[in-house]
Amino acid sequence: MKLLLATLGIALGISQSVIGQTFELRGEVRNQYREPIAFASVFLLTVTDSTLVKGTSADENGSFSITNINEGLYFLKASYVGQISENLTIEILRDTKIGAVIIEQHVEELNEVTVSGNRPVVDRKVDRIVFNVENTVISQSNSWDILKQTPGVIVTGDELQVRNQATTIYINDRKVQLSPEEVRNLLENYQGENIKSVEVIYNPPASYDAEGGSILNIITSKNISLGYKGNVSVGYTQSVFPKYNFGTSHFYKTDKLNVNASYTFAPKKEFKNTLNDINYRNETGIFSIWNTDFDQVVRNNSHTAGLVVDYEFDDSNTLSLTSNAQLQPKKESDFFQKTTMKNGLGVLDSTFTTGSFLNEEKNNLSGDLTIKHRFKENQNLSVNAHYTYFDLSRSQDVNSDYFLPDGSFIRDFNFFTNADQQIKIKTAQIDYSSMGNWSFETGLKGSFIHSESILDYFLRNSGLVFVPNLSDDYSYDEKVFAGYFSLSKDWEKWSIKAGLRAEQTESNGVSLNVAEINGLNYFELFPSAYILHNINENHSLSFDYSRKLKRPRYDDLNPFRTYINERTFEEGNPNLLPSFSNNFNLNYTLNQEYFFDFYFRDNGRYISTLTFQDNENQVLRDITQNVLKSTSYGFDFTYGKSISNNWYVYSYISLFHEDETFMALQSDAYSYNNQFNGAYVDLTNYLTLSKDGTFKGELGFVYMSGYLQGSYIQEESTNLTLGFRKSFMKNRAILSISANDLLGKYNSYINSNYLNQDNRYLVRPETQYVRFGFTYNFGNFRLEDNQREIEKIERERLE
């Protein structure tokens, strides 16, 4: 009996050993000419239903190895840039080495069919529209170009707008927390081949913070390959001053671990010229005319670094860490302006010059930790914690000299300011979702913000004299507690979605100078509703509504002043209140090609930056305040068409109305309504200039009839652009050149002319430029990375 048991035990042990044994598969990937294909993706699939078992990528010589394979029968498949091999049946009984897996490559046919011939497709979802660009002609552009031609997007300078308001950029549902200029630089170096689609969310649903407007969410293509990739990129821009930038990123992926590290260095020297004309008025008319020519030279060194780590414990649990650092150790601004002062008859009274030096240091550090758990039946739970530390130091030295018409010196006026600001943001959030016949989402969030601002003002005419009434110490604390839920369902030709978000806000601002405490405590509900009806395959109709919130930015609440000279400055407003908006959209789609959008937005007591001239004291100041009311409405039309396999034309036309009614502080507190009816036209041509699709061109024309800007109205402007892009070395290297504002008509005057206000200005930054860019990819550069930015609405108010 013992011998029998021993024999059975030995047999069981041998059996378990055999069952637990795994094997290795090695081979090569080649094309039909027996040339190796570097970094091709290789997949091992089940024979029964072609489910993925394991995946890897070939090395630079086309060789690959797959380990830890259980005994069995499999399909082996390889792919490279959309070209796929035939299934190869392999039985794994031991360590196996095979010959080459062949991928038939047909470059010209592939480019003609999958790149040049296809056109972008726009899908209307219940709460957003999806602009599908994968394997289309415009996917060969960079991400900035793709966003520019996304339906409903308007470009104003470096800022992307949707329906005349700034929009927020996301990449794979992660917010890009950068300034508009930095967002543009990022997207111009992010190639369109990595983009699957762009989601335009006019009215974000309840799962998003109540604060904020529209969202552009970039969805990248998926790739399951393992390995390493990296790139280096350099850029050079020639304008008034030359500029350059350097960036590098590295990504490593295993079965469980994803690591992404990136760094960008962008030193800049920028020039801006501003012409300002002010007609000061009294009861008799214009009594003083001031004309100013203002030059600004800004030198800036900025460093941006990011680290993203994802670790998948098992199929159900994932830990993600995102950390960003934006360091600006040096920003120096030299300002010089000359102002001529004439009487009402145009006779010169006097002149004055102002020289100003502004020195600034800024640090922005953040960390974001997320734990995700996936249940078996389409249920997900995530817990998130976030921390941001923002530190800004700024000093300004201003010196003004006044002269008679003959050049004789009259007097001088000199002062110095020193300011510091620290902001700390902490948030905690938990979200749960369940997908089924009815989809359900719910979650809770808490946000805690503390801001401390100090300003010291000194006169320097006769020594350094501290001025208490122009100095201040301002402290601001804010707590926001939020909860939400939403339900959605799709059936036959209908889709519906509805949600409700509740937010309790407690804020407290204390100014030591005026001994004033501004406290707010309010509870608000933010409903949202969406309905989509696909009448038939050629016609669809949708409607959506949401209520949104805009809180004051931290700098807007800061009561401190930033001076251009003693008579021109901008100041914050600690008495700002949050504004609430109601947003309505009605959309009609014809043949998935013609898109007609009608929108109405009640902006409520919108937070706006207004400029007022004090005629009595001859002072011009910018101040942020709540308007009395504001509305926006308009009609948008979008159409894109492939004229030929090598020519794609995108067109977007927007007709809009904007109005704001505000309290004219320097006009006897008169209630004034500023409004404008305008048009925006964007016509862009995307050209494929080579048979293999590696040489691309772009010619664009944008016309803006003008638009409302607070108490100002901007005159019409046009922008003609031209660009070329060439990829070589099997798409490892990309060289680009672009030119902007070829006609020199991008900048235009901005006017404020009502009641006793009569001033205008023309800002002329370096919009005319030629930009060169070069990017080199190495490693398995077709591997999708886990790069992301921290998604926190609270951080958006830092800028």
Side-chain angles (χ1 to χ4, degrees):
M1 185 67 177
K2 292 182 179 180
L3 179 61
L4 178 60
L5 291 175
T7 302
L8 289 173
I10 293 172
L12 181 61
I14 294 175
S15 174
Q16 292 294 331
S17 175
V18 171
I19 293 173
Q21 188 172 358
T22 59
F23 305 101
E24 178 186 13
L25 173 64
R26 291 181 294 143
E28 297 178 338
V29 182
R30 295 179 177 269
N31 61 21
Q32 67 267 38
Y33 308 110
R34 309 302 297 179
E35 298 170 335
I37 300 178
F39 309 113
S41 298
V42 183
F43 311 103
L44 196 64
L45 312 171
T46 61
V47 175
T48 54
D49 56 3
S50 295
T51 301
L52 177 68
V53 177
K54 287 183 177 295
T56 188
S57 59
D59 60 19
E60 294 188 358
N61 300 313
S63 300
F64 69 88
S65 172
I66 302 177
T67 59
N68 298 321
I69 306 173
N70 294 323
E71 179 182 307
L73 190 65
Y74 299 93
F75 283 145
L76 183 67
K77 178 182 292 187
S79 70
Y80 183 76
V81 198
Q83 301 168 85
I84 304 174
S85 70
E86 297 291 334
N87 282 346
L88 178 63
T89 304
I90 295 180
E91 186 174 12
I92 302 295
L93 299 174
R94 63 187 66 84
D95 289 343
T96 304
K97 181 178 181 180
I98 65 171
V101 180
I102 303 300
I103 298 178
E104 296 279 347
Q105 293 189 303
H106 306 283
V107 176
E108 292 187 7
E109 289 82 352
L110 178 67
N111 284 330
E112 182 175 344
V113 173
T114 65
V115 177
S116 300
N118 291 355
R119 63 180 177 83
V121 176
V122 180
D123 292 331
R124 180 78 67 181
K125 302 297 183 183
V126 66
D127 61 347
R128 66 197 67 191
I129 62 172
V130 182
F131 189 46
N132 297 291
V133 299
E134 190 174 28
N135 291 331
T136 68
V137 59
I138 65 169
S139 68
Q140 301 302 298
S141 306
N142 61 49
S143 301
W144 177 261
D145 293 331
I146 291 175
L147 287 186
K148 285 199 304 184
Q149 60 183 306
T150 297
V153 176
I154 292 176
V155 181
T156 303
D158 289 325
E159 186 175 75
L160 294 169
Q161 295 185 346
V162 173
R163 293 173 176 171
N164 300 303
Q165 288 191 357
T167 190
T168 305
I169 307 300
Y170 284 67
I171 297 179
N172 292 328
D173 292 316
R174 291 284 180 178
K175 181 180 294 181
V176 179
Q177 285 285 2
L178 299 171
S179 68
E181 179 186 1
E182 292 168 329
V183 167
R184 177 167 184 167
N185 291 335
L186 169 70
L187 296 179
E188 285 182 335
N189 291 286
Y190 192 86
Q191 299 308 314
E193 293 96 332
N194 300 321
I195 296 181
K196 179 180 180 182
S197 61
V198 178
E199 297 179 343
V200 184
I201 312 174
Y202 292 117
N203 285 333
S207 56
Y208 294 85
D209 287 271
E211 182 178 0
S214 62
I215 288 173
L216 293 176
N217 185 30
I218 299 173
I219 305 298
T220 60
S221 303
K222 299 299 180 183
N223 191 316
I224 60 172
S225 299
L226 309 180
Y228 165 79
K229 75 170 183 177
N231 69 64
V232 293
S233 62
V234 294
Y236 175 83
T237 301
Q238 181 59 56
S239 187
V240 176
F241 295 120
K243 305 167 185 61
Y244 66 93
N245 61 276
F246 166 80
T248 182
S249 65
H250 304 269
F251 176 68
Y252 179 70
K253 181 176 183 179
T254 68
D255 288 327
K256 292 183 176 294
L257 179 67
N258 296 348
V259 179
N260 181 286
S262 61
Y263 169 75
T264 302
F265 175 56
K268 291 183 179 181
K269 184 179 180 181
E270 298 176 297
F271 174 80
K272 181 190 294 185
N273 173 256
T274 302
L275 302 177
N276 183 217
D277 303 317
I278 309 174
N279 295 322
Y280 288 107
R281 294 176 172 271
N282 56 22
E283 297 80 4
T284 62
I286 299 174
F287 70 90
S288 185
I289 303 171
W290 291 33
N291 304 117
T292 299
D293 191 337
F294 180 32
D295 290 338
Q296 304 175 55
V297 178
V298 180
R299 301 171 182 84
N300 180 19
N301 289 336
S302 62
H303 305 263
T304 302
L307 176 66
V308 177
V309 180
D310 296 328
Y311 186 78
E312 186 174 341
F313 295 97
D314 49 44
D315 292 339
S316 300
N317 298 284
T318 304
L319 177 69
S320 300
L321 171 67
T322 302
S323 179
N324 292 324
Q326 299 177 43
L327 308 177
Q328 180 186 278
K330 178 182 179 182
K331 182 178 181 181
E332 297 177 341
S333 303
D334 288 304
F335 302 157
F336 180 81
Q337 68 176 51
K338 181 177 181 179
T339 300
T340 62
M341 295 173 285
K342 305 173 184 177
N343 61 24
L345 299 177
V347 179
L348 183 65
D349 279 338
S350 59
T351 65
F352 77 89
T353 61
T354 298
S356 174
F357 179 77
L358 183 68
N359 184 54
E360 184 177 287
E361 296 180 9
K362 181 171 64 175
N363 299 312
N364 191 336
L365 310 175
S366 62
D368 198 282
L369 183 66
T370 302
I371 299 175
K372 294 183 179 179
H373 177 72
R374 292 177 291 275
F375 298 95
K376 291 184 178 180
E377 297 183 358
N378 298 320
Q379 300 176 13
N380 296 279
L381 179 70
S382 68
V383 179
N384 173 270
H386 171 85
Y387 178 76
T388 286
Y389 176 77
F390 176 87
D391 178 42
L392 172 66
S393 298
R394 177 188 295 160
S395 62
Q396 184 179 21
D397 201 343
V398 182
N399 304 283
S400 298
D401 294 315
Y402 291 79
F403 304 91
L404 292 173
D406 62 2
S408 302
F409 177 76
I410 303 175
R411 66 180 180 89
D412 62 354
F413 184 85
N414 308 312
F415 63 91
F416 173 78
T417 62
N418 191 45
D420 290 286
Q421 185 176 34
Q422 292 183 351
I423 300 173
K424 298 177 182 179
I425 301 172
K426 302 174 185 178
T427 70
Q429 184 171 346
I430 182 169
D431 298 279
Y432 170 80
S433 64
S434 176
M435 308 296 290
N437 187 30
W438 282 87
S439 296
F440 174 72
E441 295 176 288
T442 189
L444 298 171
K445 180 180 179 181
S447 303
F448 309 90
I449 298 100
H450 174 73
S451 173
E452 190 77 28
S453 302
I454 299 174
L455 175 72
D456 294 326
Y457 183 101
F458 301 87
L459 287 175
R460 302 190 64 167
N461 291 64
S462 55
L464 203 61
V465 179
F466 180 69
V467 182
N469 64 311
L470 293 178
S471 305
D472 202 357
D473 186 338
Y474 182 73
S475 177
Y476 178 79
D477 290 279
E478 179 183 281
K479 299 178 182 178
V480 180
F481 302 95
Y484 75 91
F485 74 89
S486 69
L487 289 169
S488 61
K489 181 178 176 61
D490 299 324
W491 75 96
E492 295 182 355
K493 297 182 178 182
W494 293 87
S495 296
I496 61 171
K497 184 172 184 177
L500 181 66
R501 187 178 187 91
E503 292 194 358
Q504 171 69 38
T505 303
E506 301 173 10
S507 65
N508 188 57
V510 180
S511 173
L512 295 184
N513 180 24
V514 295
E516 182 178 357
I517 299 177
N518 298 298
L520 292 175
N521 191 329
Y522 56 94
F523 174 82
E524 295 288 341
L525 296 176
F526 301 92
S528 58
Y530 312 83
I531 184 169
L532 169 65
H533 178 44
N534 293 307
I535 302 171
N536 53 46
E537 51 183 42
N538 296 323
H539 305 272
S540 68
L541 194 65
S542 66
F543 173 80
D544 57 80
Y545 161 78
S546 71
R547 184 174 188 252
K548 304 298 290 184
L549 161 71
K550 181 179 180 181
R551 292 188 177 90
R553 296 181 182 274
Y554 309 119
D555 280 348
D556 293 339
L557 292 166
N558 189 330
F560 305 159
R561 291 179 176 179
T562 300
Y563 290 85
I564 296 175
N565 57 61
E566 63 176 298
R567 296 180 179 275
T568 305
F569 56 86
E570 61 181 31
E571 64 181 355
N573 181 3
N575 297 309
L576 285 174
L577 298 173
S579 65
F580 301 89
S581 64
N582 291 283
N583 309 275
F584 303 85
N585 294 309
L586 178 64
N587 311 291
Y588 169 67
T589 303
L590 174 63
N591 297 329
Q592 290 296 318
E593 290 184 347
Y594 304 91
F595 294 87
F596 306 86
D597 296 298
F598 304 86
Y599 68 91
F600 176 83
R601 187 171 61 237
D602 179 1
N603 300 309
R605 301 201 62 188
Y606 187 73
I607 299 173
S608 182
T609 299
L610 307 172
T611 301
F612 298 111
Q613 65 183 66
D614 181 347
N615 291 293
E616 181 178 355
N617 298 305
Q618 295 175 295
V619 169
L620 193 71
R621 66 165 178 162
D622 291 344
I623 184 171
T624 304
Q625 71 175 39
N626 293 94
V627 301
L628 301 177
K629 62 180 181 179
S630 172
T631 57
S632 307
Y633 56 83
F635 163 73
D636 297 342
F637 171 73
T638 306
Y639 179 61
K641 184 175 180 59
S642 295
I643 305 301
S644 67
N645 285 336
N646 299 317
W647 181 12
Y648 176 80
V649 176
Y650 163 80
S651 60
Y652 170 64
I653 300 173
S654 177
L655 305 176
F656 59 86
H657 169 87
E658 301 279 337
D659 68 71
E660 288 185 5
T661 301
F662 56 86
M663 192 65 69
L665 299 181
Q666 301 301 147
S667 307
D668 298 323
Y670 183 87
S671 174
Y672 179 75
N673 177 257
N674 198 23
Q675 57 181 295
F676 186 78
N677 296 312
Y680 178 92
V681 178
D682 184 351
L683 180 64
T684 307
N685 300 270
Y686 290 87
L687 305 170
T688 302
L689 302 175
S690 63
K691 290 184 177 180
D692 60 2
T694 61
F695 187 32
K696 301 285 182 179
E698 173 192 335
L699 178 64
F701 176 79
V702 172
Y703 169 78
M704 173 74 89
S705 66
Y707 66 95
L708 186 69
Q709 187 173 321
S711 54
Y712 286 96
I713 292 178
Q714 179 163 335
E715 297 177 357
E716 68 176 16
S717 63
T718 59
N719 189 22
L720 180 65
T721 61
L722 179 66
F724 298 97
R725 176 180 177 272
K726 172 66 177 177
S727 59
F728 47 96
M729 298 175 63
K730 296 182 179 180
N731 285 331
R732 283 188 170 275
I734 301 170
L735 180 65
S736 64
I737 179 174
S738 61
N740 191 70
D741 193 15
L742 293 173
L743 302 177
K745 296 184 178 297
Y746 185 80
N747 304 307
S748 58
Y749 267 99
I750 300 177
N751 300 282
S752 180
N753 194 341
Y754 66 92
L755 303 176
N756 64 350
Q757 304 288 291
D758 187 358
N759 64 85
R760 67 172 189 164
Y761 66 91
L762 171 64
V763 180
R764 296 185 292 186
E766 298 175 272
T767 54
Q768 282 192 302
Y769 59 78
V770 178
R771 177 175 295 159
F772 301 87
F774 178 78
T775 300
Y776 180 74
N777 300 286
F778 48 86
N780 186 4
F781 69 97
R782 301 188 184 284
L783 176 68
E784 184 207 14
D785 60 39
N786 64 338
Q787 183 177 1
R788 59 175 176 265
E789 293 294 330
I790 294 177
E791 175 188 353
K792 285 290 168 291
I793 194 70
E794 293 80 13
R795 286 172 51 82
E796 191 174 64
R797 294 157 65 196
L798 290 173
E799 296 298 332

